[in-house]
Amino acid sequence: MLEKIFVNENNIAVFICPECKKSRNVDVSKYKNLDKASKIKCSCPCGHSYNAILEKRKHYRKKTNFPGIYVNIISSIGANFLEEVGRGTLKVTDISRTGIQFTLNIQHDFSLHDKILVEFRLDDKQKTLIKKEVIIKNINGLKIGAEFFSIDPSDPSDKAIGFYLLK
């Protein structure tokens, strides 16, 4: 299994050996110009070798498996209301502070930069309901990457996501 190693804004990555659990901070500046994840081979002073992926995302992404729904809405031209143009089910497959990845159960005609509403429940004790508007950033078949339209520390959904990512 590949270990995911996140690189911070100072190009420092924290490597944790899966064998002995010791950590070390490593300057990975030589990888700073890569715009996607990089697979590397790591050797720990304890003698264990393992493969890892240097992840250049700004925020940690947590794997999930949440059922949910989406509502595709548009603003009606000349009107002061939103019109629903589609709805369906989804499965949230990962979540971060700034967005989600989800899989649709059937093909939909989303386009990049469409704004949709997503609703799902976290698997925390409270089964917290998350309702967020998202902007479609990536479409790969039925797999969609989306960024939260807004992030507000006082928004109950954003607070719940923040706490959820900490555990």
Side-chain angles (χ1 to χ4, degrees), residues 103-167:
T103 304
L104 301 172
N105 63 338
I106 59 170
Q107 193 66 39
H108 195 281
D109 58 352
F110 292 133
S111 298
L112 291 179
H113 310 294
D114 280 358
K115 186 192 300 186
I116 65 171
L117 176 66
V118 295
E119 293 183 22
F120 58 92
R121 290 192 181 273
L122 298 176
D123 63 356
D124 57 2
K125 271 188 198 175
Q126 299 81 16
K127 303 291 184 213
T128 307
L129 177 63
I130 304 296
K131 288 183 171 186
K132 296 288 291 178
E133 286 184 326
V134 298
I135 305 290
I136 306 287
K137 293 294 186 175
N138 186 331
I139 302 172
N140 186 6
L142 296 176
K143 192 181 288 189
I144 309 288
E147 180 178 50
F148 295 133
F149 180 70
S150 66
I151 300 170
D152 179 356
S154 64
D155 178 347
S157 288
D158 291 330
K159 283 182 183 179
I161 291 168
F163 284 118
Y164 180 78
L165 292 170
L166 290 175
K167 51 176 203 160

Side-chain angles (χ1 to χ4, degrees), residues 49-63:
S49 293
Y50 59 98
N51 292 319
I53 292 182
L54 285 179
E55 181 66 63
K56 307 247 331 180
R57 294 184 183 273
K58 292 179 185 174
H59 300 281
Y60 166 70
R61 297 182 86 70
K62 187 172 187 174
K63 295 285 182 203

